[in-house]
Structure formats: C-alpha cells, structure tokens
Amino acid sequence: MSTAPPRNSEASSSSAGPRSSEAPIIRLQSVDKVYRASHGHAHALYAVDLAIERGEVFGIIGRSGAGKSTLLRILNLLEQPTSGTVLIDGQDITRLGSKDLRYLRQKMGFVFQQFNLLRSKTVYENVRLPLRVAGDMTVQAQHARVLEVLDLVGLAKHAHNYPRELSGGQQQRVGIARALANHPSVLLCDEPTSALDTETTRSILSLLRDINQRLNLTIILITHAMDVIRATADRVAVIDYGRIVESGAIVDVFLKPQHPTTQALLAEASFEAGSHPPTSWQQRGRGRVLRLTYRGTVVATPLLTSLAEELGQQFAILEGSVGRIGAMPYGDLIIGTQEADEQQLRRLLDALVRRGVDYEVLS
Amino acid sequence: MDAFSSVHPSLWADLIAFDYWPEIGQGTLDTVVMTVVSLVLTVIVGLPLGVVLFLTGGSQRSDKPLLARAQSVIHAVLSLLVNVLRSVPFLILLILLMPATRELIGTSLGVAGSIPPLVVATSPFFARLIENLLREVEAGVFEVCRSLGATTRQTVLWALLPESVAGILGAITVTTIALIGYSAMSGVIGGGGLGDLAVRYGYQRFNTPVMVITVVILVVLVQLIQIIGDRVVTRLSHR
C-alpha cells in the first residue's frame, strides 16, 4: 500500500529506518514552478512549502489561475517543479527515473474534474485499466478488485454500461473507483465536483469523506469552492497568485480568516462565519457590539444565559451562526449589549475569557 | 421493371446473352482481391506509421530535450516521405515502381503486380488519416494514462486506439474506396481487374457495354463499402 520505496533499492536506502506515523506523507520544500513561454515567463508557484499528514483530507483552495492545479499535478510529477523538492514518504520524487516514476503514479490515484473516462470502454474496463497497467495481478484478482471498488462507490450494477449511459455523478464515481483500484496510498482530486450540480456534489464529497475514513486514505483535494472544503477537509491551504497565503485546520481558517483572499472566498461562499462586514453594526446607541467566536464543548453550554445571570446584563443576538465544521462544533455570534460603561465591559470580557470564547469589540 | 422492359424489350435478353460476362466476373473478382489484399497491407504499414507520426509530433513529445530532438527529426523525415509519396500522381508512381515490383514479386503485371504500388500509394494516405484521428483524441485520455503510470505502448494499445476505433474504421472505409479507384487506374499498365477490362475492351476496342457495366459494378462496390462502413462505425461509436 505504501508509495515508497519503489523497485529501486538505492532510492529506498536513503530513507531507511522506521518511520514514525507522525511523519508527513507528502512534504513540499520551496517548490517553484515557472512556465517558459516565447514571450517571457509565467511564474505559477513561488516557494511553496507544504506538509500533508497521513490519513487526512487536505484541501487546497484558490481562484482559477492561482496555481492550485499546478500544485496538485506536481505531487505525482505530471508537472515537473522548476526547483525545490517533493518528498513522498521521505523520498525526493523529482529524482526518480521514468520507471520508478510510473510505479509512483500507479500508487497515487487521480480524480479529474471532467472524469476522463474512456468512452470506448465499459465501466468495468475503465476501472480495470489501472490494474492492467500495473500488471501485477492475475486476471481473477483484477476481476475481484474491480467488483470490490465498484461496490465501494455504489456502481456494482453498472459494471457493463458505457460511460455515456451514466449521469455526471455516476461517471465521477467511476473515476473515483478507477483511482482507487490499484490500492493507492494517496488520492489526488482535481476539482472533482466542479462539473456537478449541488446535490451530486454533496454525494460525491460524502463518498470521498467515507473513503478517507474507511480506508484511512490520504486525500488531497483542490477546489475553488469553500463549501467543498468545509464539507470534506481536515486542513486547508489557501493559494493566491502562486503563493500559499494561509493554511491550517479548517475551523481556524473558517472562523479566523487572516488573508484577504481567504476572507473574500468565504464571503463568496455566502458562508456566515467571517463573511459579514462588521461595520454594519457600529452606530447602535451607547451599547457595545461584540463578535464572539467559540468552538468545542462550549457550544453545547448555555453561553449567553450564563453570562446574563453572572453579570446581570442582557444581550441581543444581532447576527450569527452555530453549527459544525467537519466534526467540530462552532459558534460565531455578533451580540449587542445594553448601555455599558468601561467597567461593565471589562467584566464581560473577563467572563468571556474564562469560558474560552474569543471576542472582538466592534463598537 | 415492366415499364423498363416495355421500352427496351430486348435489353434483358441482350444482357443475358452478353458475351463478356466471364471476363467481367473475373475482373470483379480480381478487383476485390487486389483491394482486400492491398487494404490489409495498407493497414499493417499505415497504422503503425500513423501512430509514430502522431507520437513524434508536437503535442506528444518528451519533456527530455534530447529525446524530443530525436522525435522531431523522426517526425520530419517520416512526414517528408509521406508528403512525397502522396504528391506523386498514382499513374507516375505505378510506372516508377515497376522495376521494384518486378524485383519484389517477379512481375509488374496482373493482380499481384498491382498490389505493391497500391500499398505504397495508400499507406501514406492512411497514415495521415490515422495521425489526424489521434490528434482528435481528447487530452484527458493522455492525462489519465500518464496519471496511471502507463507506458507509451500501453497508452497506444489500451486507450488511444480503442478510443479512436470508430474513426479508424471510417478511415479504412475511405481508404478502401480510394483503393478501388487506384486499382482501376492500374488497369492502364495491365494491372488486372475491372479497370483493366474497361481499358482493354471499353477504351481500346470501343466496346461501350463493357465500359458501362464495369463502371456500374465499381459504383455498386463503392456504395456497398460506404454503407457497410457507416453501419459498423455507428455500432462501435460510444460517444
């Protein structure tokens, strides 16, 4: 199941010794990509550093042309980086010979935006293709594996259909089954839901999430849609003009977006947290307006009620959302207080700190 | 048919009594044999040639500079060869190839003698058709094969050719029809078949009925091939 070492004893000796499960499965170090064109250069990636942990779903988000596709394609060397190293299981894949590189790619599934199924072949033959390419299974074993992955994606009944007979969502399921067939250690997904409608997107994303959980498979997913990241990823990196401008656990990025691009992407997704301009509440009598963000167990406590009882103050909820991002419960509220002097405000803020709630005084 | 025979009551009787049916039968058989054998050889030569032209062409070159250089040289040489052979008129090619044909199979006449020039004439044509077809294959197909770690051989045999199978059959249909036309032309230098018949009887001896009948048979043959070809293409097309 492991990507490395390929059938090359020299290459593997450099990364000998037991690896801790903490070691990232993929690590990029100062990766640059420059496209040389007849009229000057196009710098697609600048000094990208990235570490992707084993078993996580890692999202890469950015606008079109930000370099996210290039970044993904560098991970299995469909694109060669201009400089920098790409370590997979501790091994620098930019130094692999063509045979080892083919073997590496056989062990990394790739899911395409446009599915890229062979139209002349049945679903069954499409999914069997990677096994034929790898060529290390008997025909019976291939048959069993094809049926197994088709079952996993819920398409066992359609094995003998041709791609054009399937809906877009079903075609993408075939694409995913094909990517999974040869027991990859990593699944690379290039905008897997961009060609699909909302409902189908949801089902494909939950399939990916399910695969991640069941097979403990590392998934790297690029998208331009925050909703996709929110539904699927554990961590996210935001890429803008070839640079990673922000990265972290998705709860952090969603609740406390630092970079303007992240904020803009969140706003476009019309996702409540972090998307509203706080200025809209600034002229409101002599009361104060605060933004509270919190997560984890505190979400399940009667936060405002307990504050009201403790401080003898009352609060209005002006705006906000409460819910979950991935498995993490979160709250993001904008509240208004009654007329409050400095001392009352101080007591409120202290009470918030004690409860582990982040705040921002908006007015 | 009744109206037809009432106008020319003697036409069917004339046709039945026509003296040249044995020659026409033999000529038709010869044409079919020439066409089929030449077609098989054309595909055997032209298909790989087309694949090589495609693989060494711009879009598919290696990202290793040295290899890419070698590919572009191969492409230029093959491309020139193909263009030269395609620009020589078939009649001239027939005559130019007579010594080589005699060397190769002992005669430059008859059915056997016609086959080498036919193959030389249609293989470059077929190869270009294949090259163009492969260029039409979606970029996604190559992406998939690369991402699966497929070798070039696997990519060609398991993805490229199957994806263009309908187009290849279309190209075979077009080539077959071109071959029938060329084979008739080879009659001018004694190549055998319906063309030979038309030239010897129809042209040199002013036997118009033989001329008309051979032309009708050629038209029917071409029509049949086109219809069958179109049907097969439709059946195999999964778009």
Side-chain angles (χ1 to χ4, degrees):
Chain A
M1 280 256 209
S2 163
T3 309
R7 304 147 174 163
N8 178 336
S9 55
E10 266 184 28
S12 61
S13 61
S14 61
S15 55
R19 286 187 206 97
S20 90
S21 61
E22 308 276 296
I25 188 164
I26 295 176
R27 181 186 284 283
L28 301 194
Q29 289 169 334
S30 51
V31 166
D32 269 80
K33 176 71 186 179
V34 183
Y35 289 105
R36 285 170 215 291
S38 47
H39 46 280
H41 299 341
H43 221 131
L45 295 174
Y46 290 94
V48 169
D49 290 305
L50 204 61
I52 293 162
E53 307 296 333
R54 202 174 299 275
E56 74 174 335
V57 178
F58 191 90
I60 298 170
I61 187 165
R63 298 184 188 288
S64 37
K68 53 190 192 303
S69 249
T70 306
L71 181 54
L72 190 73
R73 294 159 56 86
I74 276 177
L75 299 182
N76 69 349
L77 247 54
L78 285 177
E79 304 266 6
Q80 278 279 350
T82 310
S83 64
T85 53
V86 181
L87 300 171
I88 295 188
D89 271 332
Q91 182 190 27
D92 184 359
I93 63 166
T94 58
R95 291 161 195 274
L96 291 180
S98 61
K99 197 173 163 192
D100 291 332
L101 185 56
R102 279 203 306 276
Y103 184 70
L104 173 90
R105 287 180 183 151
Q106 288 167 15
K107 287 297 180 188
M108 296 180 91
F110 204 105
V111 178
F112 298 87
Q113 178 177 358
Q114 297 298 339
F115 328 135
N116 288 352
L117 303 179
L118 300 187
R119 287 189 282 200
S120 60
K121 294 186 184 288
T122 59
V123 166
Y124 179 92
E125 282 299 326
N126 267 287
V127 175
R128 196 166 78 97
L129 187 63
L131 303 177
R132 291 175 79 192
V133 166
D136 52 5
M137 266 190 211
T138 63
V139 173
Q140 289 91 329
Q142 291 180 7
H143 178 75
R145 180 60 183 161
V146 170
L147 296 185
E148 191 183 350
V149 285
L150 280 179
D151 197 43
L152 184 69
V153 302
L155 280 183
K157 274 188 296 191
H158 296 282
H160 297 291
N161 286 104
Y162 284 92
R164 57 141 192 201
E165 297 164 344
L166 304 179
S167 69
Q170 288 173 324
Q171 291 192 39
Q172 190 57 295
R173 282 169 187 267
V174 179
I176 292 169
R178 177 177 63 189
L180 292 174
N182 197 32
H183 299 284
S185 54
V186 177
L187 196 61
L188 306 175
C189 304
D190 185 356
E191 302 255 7
T193 58
S194 297
L196 303 173
D197 62 52
T198 323
E199 195 56 43
T200 316
T201 293
R202 202 166 298 152
S203 82
I204 291 292
L205 293 180
S206 74
L207 173 67
L208 287 175
R209 192 72 223 185
D210 184 49
I211 287 164
N212 163 256
Q213 307 274 313
R214 272 211 258 174
L215 311 178
N216 193 31
L217 181 65
T218 311
I219 297 181
I220 297 148
L221 179 131
I222 68 171
T223 179
H224 60 265
M226 273 291 182
D227 301 340
V228 169
I229 296 287
R230 188 190 178 197
T232 328
D234 299 306
R235 289 198 305 142
V236 61
V238 182
I239 186 167
D240 197 30
Y241 295 105
R243 289 189 170 82
I244 291 190
V245 294
E246 184 162 0
S247 70
I250 53 163
V251 184
D252 294 325
V253 173
F254 270 73
L255 292 182
K256 291 248 181 282
Q258 304 295 319
H259 193 270
T261 301
T262 318
Q263 291 162 1
L265 285 164
L266 282 166
E268 282 160 31
S270 70
F271 174 63
E272 302 87 337
S275 65
H276 42 71
T279 48
S280 52
W281 294 107
Q282 274 170 6
Q283 309 296 329
R284 192 182 156 277
R286 263 175 280 172
R288 301 290 188 146
V289 177
L290 283 83
R291 177 172 173 202
L292 312 182
T293 51
Y294 49 100
R295 70 185 73 161
T297 51
V298 67
V299 176
T301 66
L303 177 65
L304 292 183
T305 317
S306 77
L307 285 172
E309 281 173 5
E310 181 186 329
L311 305 171
Q313 297 182 20
Q314 291 181 321
F315 307 99
I317 299 171
L318 303 175
E319 210 177 302
S321 69
V322 180
R324 288 194 308 173
I325 299 175
M328 176 65 79
Y330 78 95
D332 180 16
L333 299 180
I334 292 188
I335 61 166
T337 69
Q338 298 167 299
E339 276 184 38
D341 57 27
E342 282 304 315
Q343 198 198 345
Q344 284 169 314
L345 181 64
R346 175 75 23 226
R347 284 173 58 211
L348 172 58
L349 299 185
D350 286 346
L352 289 172
V353 170
R354 267 184 275 119
R355 285 169 174 78
V357 174
D358 287 337
Y359 62 83
E360 193 180 338
V361 181
L362 301 177
S363 77
Chain B
M1 199 185 285
D2 281 335
F4 191 70
S5 46
S6 66
V7 176
H8 299 284
S10 63
L11 181 68
W12 294 107
D14 284 356
L15 277 176
I16 288 161
F18 190 51
D19 287 338
Y20 297 98
W21 284 122
E23 282 86 348
I24 287 172
Q26 185 61 44
T28 307
L29 186 66
D30 286 353
T31 292
V32 170
V33 168
M34 268 193 288
T35 304
V36 169
V37 174
S38 303
L39 180 67
V40 169
L41 293 173
T42 296
V43 172
I44 290 172
V45 176
L47 188 64
L49 184 58
V51 169
V52 171
L53 276 171
F54 171 72
L55 290 177
T56 55
S59 65
Q60 294 299 312
R61 274 186 206 142
S62 167
D63 45 13
K64 297 188 183 89
L66 207 68
L67 199 54
R69 188 96 204 108
Q71 286 174 327
S72 86
V73 170
I74 292 171
H75 187 81
V77 170
L78 290 178
S79 192
L80 181 70
L81 181 73
V82 163
N83 287 347
V84 167
L85 288 175
R86 286 191 60 197
S87 50
V88 176
F90 180 60
L91 203 58
I92 310 291
L93 195 67
L94 270 174
I95 295 161
L96 282 175
L97 283 175
M98 282 173 83
T101 306
R102 219 173 288 132
E103 197 66 38
L104 193 67
I105 53 174
T107 175
S108 64
L109 297 173
V111 171
S114 301
I115 288 172
L118 284 174
V119 174
V120 171
T122 49
S123 294
F125 171 67
F126 186 68
R128 276 286 188 228
L129 290 180
I130 295 297
E131 184 194 7
N132 284 329
L133 269 176
L134 297 182
R135 280 198 204 144
E136 295 293 308
V137 172
E138 281 169 51
V141 172
F142 300 97
E143 283 271 298
V144 165
C145 292
R146 285 187 73 203
S147 80
L148 294 179
T151 60
T152 305
R153 199 180 66 87
Q154 291 170 333
T155 304
V156 169
L157 293 181
W158 296 346
L160 259 191
L161 294 181
E163 281 298 280
S164 26
V165 89
I168 291 172
L169 281 160
I172 286 177
T173 307
V174 170
T175 305
T176 310
I177 289 168
L179 270 171
I180 290 175
Y182 282 169
S183 76
M185 222 188 288
S186 73
V188 174
I189 61 157
L194 289 170
D196 192 30
L197 216 57
V199 169
R200 281 192 287 128
Y201 291 85
Y203 179 66
Q204 289 165 355
R205 299 187 204 169
F206 306 106
N207 188 333
T208 308
V210 171
M211 177 90 100
V212 171
I213 288 169
T214 50
V215 170
V216 168
I217 291 173
L218 286 172
V219 169
V220 169
L221 272 181
V222 168
Q223 276 299 326
L224 272 178
I225 287 160
Q226 189 67 55
I227 289 166
I228 293 168
D230 287 349
R231 289 235 172 124
V232 176
V233 168
T234 313
R235 253 194 84 97
L236 288 178
S237 175
H238 292 288
R239 279 170 191 265

